[in-house]
Amino acid sequence: MMEKFSLWVTAQGNAQRRLEAVVKDLSLRFKGPLFEPHLTLLEPILEDKHEVIRKTQALARKITPFKLTLGNVDYSSTYSQCVFVRVKTSVPLLEARMVTQKIFNINSFFMPHMSLYYGNVSPETREKIAKSVKIPNLSFIVDRLIVTPATADSSKWRHLAEIPFKG
């Protein structure tokens, strides 16, 4: 059966704990949903779950672990990018994205970021929240792809597969 899936990468260890603490703090202070901080490499993928996992395993063999560095905290007008931290573009990130698009035959817009707060709040509140977040230039290694359901309801997100990079 065709469903929608997302491919994520996440921070590990200390970096992930720091990002989770920011998400939790903002969620409590501004009454937003809790969710796992992640960078969406590609979505929506409309395929059978087993086929998505099979293709992701093939994809993971083509990618070596690489470093991501977080940039500025920003905000937008959308619910799911209400407040986010930009991820600095790098050759390994863009190569991983290109290989991912090729394997799944999907071309879509890509703005590397990790959301920190989801919500429908005023532009002034978005700006205030963004200015309140302090994440010093955090860097971390990503070493796996995570397959999750692509749904707007973050309470339904779960890791259907975690596939380490083999490269």
Short mmCIF file of all heavy atoms in Angstrom, two decimals, residues 26-73:
data_model
loop_
_atom_site.label_atom_id
_atom_site.label_comp_id
_atom_site.label_asym_id
_atom_site.label_seq_id
_atom_site.Cartn_x
_atom_site.Cartn_y
_atom_site.Cartn_z
N LEU A 26 10.70 25.46 24.23
CA LEU A 26 9.81 26.29 23.41
C LEU A 26 8.39 25.72 23.38
O LEU A 26 7.42 26.47 23.42
CB LEU A 26 10.36 26.42 21.99
CG LEU A 26 11.71 27.13 21.86
CD1 LEU A 26 12.17 27.15 20.41
CD2 LEU A 26 11.64 28.55 22.42
N SER A 27 8.29 24.40 23.33
CA SER A 27 6.99 23.74 23.33
C SER A 27 6.20 24.08 24.60
O SER A 27 5.01 24.39 24.54
CB SER A 27 7.19 22.23 23.19
OG SER A 27 6.06 21.54 23.62
N LEU A 28 6.88 24.04 25.74
CA LEU A 28 6.22 24.36 27.02
C LEU A 28 5.90 25.84 27.13
O LEU A 28 4.78 26.21 27.50
CB LEU A 28 7.11 23.92 28.19
CG LEU A 28 7.29 22.43 28.37
CD1 LEU A 28 8.38 22.12 29.40
CD2 LEU A 28 5.98 21.76 28.77
N ARG A 29 6.85 26.69 26.78
CA ARG A 29 6.65 28.14 26.93
C ARG A 29 5.59 28.70 25.99
O ARG A 29 4.85 29.60 26.34
CB ARG A 29 7.96 28.89 26.70
CG ARG A 29 8.88 28.81 27.90
CD ARG A 29 10.06 29.77 27.87
NE ARG A 29 10.22 30.59 26.69
CZ ARG A 29 11.38 30.83 26.09
NH1 ARG A 29 12.48 30.32 26.56
NH2 ARG A 29 11.46 31.60 25.03
N PHE A 30 5.53 28.15 24.76
CA PHE A 30 4.63 28.72 23.75
C PHE A 30 3.55 27.74 23.30
O PHE A 30 2.94 27.91 22.26
CB PHE A 30 5.45 29.23 22.56
CG PHE A 30 6.43 30.30 22.96
CD1 PHE A 30 7.76 30.00 23.20
CD2 PHE A 30 6.01 31.61 23.16
CE1 PHE A 30 8.67 30.98 23.58
CE2 PHE A 30 6.90 32.61 23.54
CZ PHE A 30 8.23 32.28 23.76
N LYS A 31 3.34 26.68 24.09
CA LYS A 31 2.25 25.72 23.88
C LYS A 31 2.23 25.12 22.46
O LYS A 31 1.23 25.18 21.76
CB LYS A 31 0.91 26.39 24.19
CG LYS A 31 0.93 27.09 25.55
CD LYS A 31 -0.36 27.07 26.25
CE LYS A 31 -0.37 27.72 27.60
NZ LYS A 31 0.88 27.94 28.30
N GLY A 32 3.36 24.54 22.11
CA GLY A 32 3.46 23.87 20.81
C GLY A 32 3.66 22.38 21.02
O GLY A 32 3.88 21.92 22.14
N PRO A 33 3.61 21.60 19.94
CA PRO A 33 3.82 20.15 20.06
C PRO A 33 5.29 19.81 20.34
O PRO A 33 6.18 20.55 19.93
CB PRO A 33 3.39 19.62 18.70
CG PRO A 33 3.66 20.75 17.76
CD PRO A 33 3.38 22.02 18.56
N LEU A 34 5.49 18.69 21.02
CA LEU A 34 6.84 18.15 21.19
C LEU A 34 7.16 17.31 19.96
O LEU A 34 6.30 16.60 19.45
CB LEU A 34 6.89 17.25 22.43
CG LEU A 34 7.32 17.88 23.74
CD1 LEU A 34 7.28 16.84 24.85
CD2 LEU A 34 8.70 18.49 23.64
N PHE A 35 8.40 17.37 19.52
CA PHE A 35 8.80 16.53 18.38
C PHE A 35 10.31 16.33 18.44
O PHE A 35 11.02 17.06 19.13
CB PHE A 35 8.40 17.18 17.04
CG PHE A 35 8.94 18.56 16.84
CD1 PHE A 35 10.17 18.76 16.24
CD2 PHE A 35 8.22 19.67 17.26
CE1 PHE A 35 10.69 20.04 16.07
CE2 PHE A 35 8.72 20.95 17.08
CZ PHE A 35 9.96 21.14 16.48
N GLU A 36 10.77 15.34 17.71
CA GLU A 36 12.20 15.03 17.66
C GLU A 36 12.90 15.96 16.66
O GLU A 36 12.50 16.04 15.50
CB GLU A 36 12.38 13.58 17.22
CG GLU A 36 13.81 13.15 17.11
CD GLU A 36 13.95 11.69 16.67
OE1 GLU A 36 12.94 11.06 16.33
OE2 GLU A 36 15.09 11.21 16.68
N PRO A 37 13.93 16.69 17.10
CA PRO A 37 14.66 17.54 16.15
C PRO A 37 15.33 16.71 15.07
O PRO A 37 15.94 15.67 15.36
CB PRO A 37 15.71 18.24 17.02
CG PRO A 37 15.39 17.91 18.43
CD PRO A 37 14.48 16.73 18.44
N HIS A 38 15.20 17.16 13.82
CA HIS A 38 15.73 16.40 12.69
C HIS A 38 15.90 17.32 11.48
O HIS A 38 15.29 18.38 11.42
CB HIS A 38 14.77 15.26 12.32
CG HIS A 38 13.43 15.77 11.89
ND1 HIS A 38 12.45 16.13 12.82
CD2 HIS A 38 12.90 16.04 10.67
CE1 HIS A 38 11.39 16.59 12.17
NE2 HIS A 38 11.63 16.54 10.87
N LEU A 39 16.70 16.88 10.54
CA LEU A 39 16.79 17.52 9.24
C LEU A 39 16.11 16.57 8.26
O LEU A 39 16.48 15.40 8.19
CB LEU A 39 18.25 17.75 8.84
CG LEU A 39 18.45 18.42 7.47
CD1 LEU A 39 19.68 19.32 7.50
CD2 LEU A 39 18.58 17.43 6.34
N THR A 40 15.12 17.06 7.55
CA THR A 40 14.44 16.23 6.55
C THR A 40 15.26 16.27 5.27
O THR A 40 15.41 17.33 4.66
CB THR A 40 13.00 16.74 6.29
OG1 THR A 40 12.29 16.71 7.53
CG2 THR A 40 12.29 15.85 5.28
N LEU A 41 15.78 15.12 4.89
CA LEU A 41 16.57 15.03 3.67
C LEU A 41 15.67 14.97 2.45
O LEU A 41 15.99 15.54 1.40
CB LEU A 41 17.48 13.79 3.74
CG LEU A 41 18.69 13.77 2.83
CD1 LEU A 41 19.58 15.01 3.01
CD2 LEU A 41 19.50 12.51 3.07
N LEU A 42 14.50 14.30 2.60
CA LEU A 42 13.56 14.20 1.47
C LEU A 42 12.19 13.80 1.98
O LEU A 42 12.07 12.92 2.83
CB LEU A 42 14.04 13.16 0.46
CG LEU A 42 13.28 13.11 -0.87
CD1 LEU A 42 13.50 14.38 -1.69
CD2 LEU A 42 13.69 11.89 -1.68
N GLU A 43 11.16 14.46 1.44
CA GLU A 43 9.76 14.08 1.65
C GLU A 43 8.90 14.86 0.68
O GLU A 43 9.34 15.88 0.16
CB GLU A 43 9.32 14.31 3.10
CG GLU A 43 8.99 15.73 3.43
CD GLU A 43 8.31 15.89 4.79
OE1 GLU A 43 8.25 14.96 5.60
OE2 GLU A 43 7.84 17.00 5.02
N PRO A 44 7.67 14.43 0.42
CA PRO A 44 7.12 13.13 0.79
C PRO A 44 7.53 12.07 -0.24
O PRO A 44 7.61 12.35 -1.42
CB PRO A 44 5.61 13.38 0.73
CG PRO A 44 5.45 14.42 -0.35
CD PRO A 44 6.70 15.27 -0.29
N ILE A 45 7.79 10.89 0.25
CA ILE A 45 8.11 9.75 -0.60
C ILE A 45 6.85 8.89 -0.63
O ILE A 45 6.44 8.36 0.40
CB ILE A 45 9.31 8.96 -0.06
CG1 ILE A 45 10.54 9.88 0.04
CG2 ILE A 45 9.59 7.74 -0.93
CD1 ILE A 45 11.69 9.30 0.86
N LEU A 46 6.24 8.79 -1.80
CA LEU A 46 4.99 8.03 -1.95
C LEU A 46 5.29 6.66 -2.54
O LEU A 46 5.34 6.50 -3.76
CB LEU A 46 4.02 8.78 -2.88
CG LEU A 46 3.52 10.10 -2.36
CD1 LEU A 46 3.00 10.98 -3.47
CD2 LEU A 46 2.44 9.87 -1.33
N GLU A 47 5.55 5.70 -1.65
CA GLU A 47 5.87 4.35 -2.09
C GLU A 47 5.49 3.37 -1.00
O GLU A 47 5.17 3.77 0.12
CB GLU A 47 7.38 4.20 -2.39
CG GLU A 47 7.84 4.96 -3.60
CD GLU A 47 9.25 4.58 -4.04
OE1 GLU A 47 9.62 3.40 -3.90
OE2 GLU A 47 9.96 5.47 -4.52
N ASP A 48 5.57 2.11 -1.32
CA ASP A 48 5.36 1.05 -0.34
C ASP A 48 6.49 1.12 0.70
O ASP A 48 7.65 1.37 0.35
CB ASP A 48 5.40 -0.31 -1.07
CG ASP A 48 5.42 -1.48 -0.13
OD1 ASP A 48 4.36 -1.80 0.43
OD2 ASP A 48 6.52 -2.05 0.06
N LYS A 49 6.14 0.90 1.96
CA LYS A 49 7.12 1.00 3.05
C LYS A 49 8.35 0.13 2.81
O LYS A 49 9.49 0.57 3.02
CB LYS A 49 6.46 0.63 4.39
CG LYS A 49 7.43 0.65 5.56
CD LYS A 49 6.73 0.50 6.89
CE LYS A 49 6.61 -0.93 7.27
NZ LYS A 49 6.05 -1.12 8.62
N HIS A 50 8.15 -1.11 2.37
CA HIS A 50 9.28 -2.02 2.18
C HIS A 50 10.19 -1.54 1.05
O HIS A 50 11.41 -1.69 1.13
CB HIS A 50 8.77 -3.44 1.94
CG HIS A 50 7.94 -3.95 3.07
ND1 HIS A 50 8.47 -4.23 4.32
CD2 HIS A 50 6.61 -4.17 3.18
CE1 HIS A 50 7.51 -4.60 5.14
NE2 HIS A 50 6.37 -4.57 4.48
N GLU A 51 9.60 -0.94 0.03
CA GLU A 51 10.39 -0.40 -1.08
C GLU A 51 11.20 0.82 -0.61
O GLU A 51 12.36 0.99 -0.97
CB GLU A 51 9.45 -0.02 -2.23
CG GLU A 51 10.16 0.41 -3.49
CD GLU A 51 11.01 -0.67 -4.14
OE1 GLU A 51 10.99 -1.85 -3.72
OE2 GLU A 51 11.74 -0.32 -5.08
N VAL A 52 10.60 1.67 0.22
CA VAL A 52 11.30 2.83 0.77
C VAL A 52 12.49 2.36 1.60
O VAL A 52 13.61 2.89 1.46
CB VAL A 52 10.35 3.72 1.62
CG1 VAL A 52 11.13 4.82 2.34
CG2 VAL A 52 9.27 4.33 0.74
N ILE A 53 12.29 1.38 2.44
CA ILE A 53 13.38 0.87 3.28
C ILE A 53 14.47 0.23 2.41
O ILE A 53 15.66 0.47 2.62
CB ILE A 53 12.84 -0.11 4.35
CG1 ILE A 53 12.02 0.70 5.38
CG2 ILE A 53 13.98 -0.87 5.03
CD1 ILE A 53 11.24 -0.13 6.37
N ARG A 54 14.07 -0.53 1.39
CA ARG A 54 15.05 -1.16 0.49
C ARG A 54 15.89 -0.09 -0.22
O ARG A 54 17.12 -0.17 -0.26
CB ARG A 54 14.33 -2.04 -0.55
CG ARG A 54 15.28 -2.86 -1.42
CD ARG A 54 14.59 -3.53 -2.58
NE ARG A 54 14.06 -2.59 -3.55
CZ ARG A 54 14.79 -1.87 -4.41
NH1 ARG A 54 16.10 -1.98 -4.42
NH2 ARG A 54 14.22 -1.05 -5.27
N LYS A 55 15.24 0.95 -0.74
CA LYS A 55 15.96 2.01 -1.43
C LYS A 55 16.85 2.79 -0.46
O LYS A 55 17.94 3.23 -0.82
CB LYS A 55 14.99 2.97 -2.13
CG LYS A 55 14.38 2.39 -3.40
CD LYS A 55 13.46 3.41 -4.05
CE LYS A 55 12.89 2.89 -5.36
NZ LYS A 55 11.97 3.89 -5.97
N THR A 56 16.38 2.96 0.77
CA THR A 56 17.16 3.69 1.77
C THR A 56 18.40 2.89 2.15
O THR A 56 19.48 3.47 2.37
CB THR A 56 16.30 4.01 3.01
OG1 THR A 56 15.16 4.77 2.59
CG2 THR A 56 17.08 4.81 4.04
N GLN A 57 18.29 1.57 2.20
CA GLN A 57 19.47 0.73 2.47
C GLN A 57 20.50 0.90 1.35
O GLN A 57 21.70 1.03 1.61
CB GLN A 57 19.06 -0.74 2.61
CG GLN A 57 18.31 -1.00 3.90
CD GLN A 57 17.62 -2.36 3.93
OE1 GLN A 57 17.25 -2.93 2.90
NE2 GLN A 57 17.42 -2.86 5.15
N ALA A 58 20.02 0.92 0.09
CA ALA A 58 20.93 1.13 -1.05
C ALA A 58 21.55 2.52 -0.97
O ALA A 58 22.75 2.70 -1.22
CB ALA A 58 20.17 0.95 -2.36
N LEU A 59 20.76 3.50 -0.60
CA LEU A 59 21.23 4.87 -0.47
C LEU A 59 22.31 4.99 0.60
O LEU A 59 23.35 5.63 0.39
CB LEU A 59 20.04 5.77 -0.13
CG LEU A 59 20.30 7.23 0.18
CD1 LEU A 59 20.93 7.94 -1.01
CD2 LEU A 59 19.00 7.92 0.58
N ALA A 60 22.08 4.36 1.75
CA ALA A 60 23.01 4.45 2.88
C ALA A 60 24.39 3.88 2.52
O ALA A 60 25.39 4.29 3.08
CB ALA A 60 22.43 3.74 4.10
N ARG A 61 24.42 2.96 1.56
CA ARG A 61 25.70 2.38 1.12
C ARG A 61 26.52 3.40 0.31
O ARG A 61 27.71 3.22 0.11
CB ARG A 61 25.48 1.11 0.31
CG ARG A 61 25.08 -0.08 1.17
CD ARG A 61 25.16 -1.39 0.41
NE ARG A 61 24.11 -1.56 -0.57
CZ ARG A 61 22.88 -2.02 -0.30
NH1 ARG A 61 22.55 -2.37 0.93
NH2 ARG A 61 21.99 -2.16 -1.26
N LYS A 62 25.87 4.45 -0.18
CA LYS A 62 26.53 5.45 -1.03
C LYS A 62 26.98 6.69 -0.26
O LYS A 62 27.57 7.58 -0.83
CB LYS A 62 25.59 5.88 -2.16
CG LYS A 62 25.19 4.76 -3.10
CD LYS A 62 24.16 5.27 -4.09
CE LYS A 62 23.63 4.19 -4.97
NZ LYS A 62 24.56 3.75 -6.00
N ILE A 63 26.63 6.77 1.03
CA ILE A 63 26.91 7.97 1.81
C ILE A 63 27.87 7.63 2.95
O ILE A 63 27.70 6.62 3.63
CB ILE A 63 25.60 8.57 2.40
CG1 ILE A 63 24.61 8.88 1.28
CG2 ILE A 63 25.90 9.83 3.20
CD1 ILE A 63 23.25 9.31 1.79
N THR A 64 28.86 8.48 3.14
CA THR A 64 29.75 8.33 4.29
C THR A 64 29.30 9.31 5.37
O THR A 64 28.71 10.35 5.06
CB THR A 64 31.22 8.60 3.92
OG1 THR A 64 31.29 9.88 3.31
CG2 THR A 64 31.74 7.55 2.96
N PRO A 65 29.57 9.00 6.63
CA PRO A 65 29.21 9.95 7.69
C PRO A 65 29.82 11.33 7.39
O PRO A 65 30.92 11.43 6.85
CB PRO A 65 29.83 9.34 8.95
CG PRO A 65 29.85 7.86 8.66
CD PRO A 65 30.17 7.77 7.19
N PHE A 66 29.06 12.36 7.72
CA PHE A 66 29.54 13.72 7.46
C PHE A 66 29.07 14.66 8.56
O PHE A 66 28.17 14.35 9.32
CB PHE A 66 29.11 14.23 6.08
CG PHE A 66 27.62 14.27 5.85
CD1 PHE A 66 26.89 15.44 6.10
CD2 PHE A 66 26.94 13.16 5.36
CE1 PHE A 66 25.52 15.50 5.87
CE2 PHE A 66 25.57 13.21 5.14
CZ PHE A 66 24.86 14.38 5.39
N LYS A 67 29.73 15.82 8.60
CA LYS A 67 29.47 16.79 9.66
C LYS A 67 28.43 17.81 9.21
O LYS A 67 28.50 18.30 8.07
CB LYS A 67 30.76 17.50 10.04
CG LYS A 67 30.63 18.49 11.18
CD LYS A 67 31.99 18.87 11.75
CE LYS A 67 32.41 20.22 11.26
NZ LYS A 67 33.63 20.68 11.90
N LEU A 68 27.51 18.12 10.11
CA LEU A 68 26.58 19.23 9.89
C LEU A 68 26.90 20.30 10.92
O LEU A 68 27.24 20.00 12.06
CB LEU A 68 25.13 18.78 10.09
CG LEU A 68 24.53 17.89 9.00
CD1 LEU A 68 23.08 17.56 9.33
CD2 LEU A 68 24.64 18.53 7.63
N THR A 69 26.79 21.55 10.50
CA THR A 69 27.00 22.68 11.39
C THR A 69 25.76 23.56 11.35
O THR A 69 25.28 23.90 10.27
CB THR A 69 28.24 23.49 10.96
OG1 THR A 69 29.38 22.61 10.99
CG2 THR A 69 28.50 24.65 11.91
N LEU A 70 25.26 23.90 12.53
CA LEU A 70 24.08 24.74 12.61
C LEU A 70 24.47 26.19 12.45
O LEU A 70 25.55 26.61 12.87
CB LEU A 70 23.37 24.52 13.94
CG LEU A 70 22.92 23.07 14.20
CD1 LEU A 70 22.15 22.98 15.51
CD2 LEU A 70 22.10 22.52 13.05
N GLY A 71 23.57 26.96 11.86
CA GLY A 71 23.80 28.38 11.63
C GLY A 71 22.86 29.23 12.47
O GLY A 71 22.66 28.96 13.66
N ASN A 72 22.25 30.20 11.84
CA ASN A 72 21.38 31.15 12.53
C ASN A 72 20.00 30.58 12.81
O ASN A 72 19.49 29.77 12.03
CB ASN A 72 21.21 32.42 11.69
CG ASN A 72 22.53 33.15 11.51
OD1 ASN A 72 23.39 33.11 12.39
ND2 ASN A 72 22.69 33.79 10.37
N VAL A 73 19.41 31.04 13.90
CA VAL A 73 18.02 30.71 14.19
C VAL A 73 17.17 31.71 13.42
O VAL A 73 17.47 32.90 13.36
CB VAL A 73 17.73 30.79 15.71
CG1 VAL A 73 16.26 30.56 16.00
CG2 VAL A 73 18.60 29.78 16.46
#
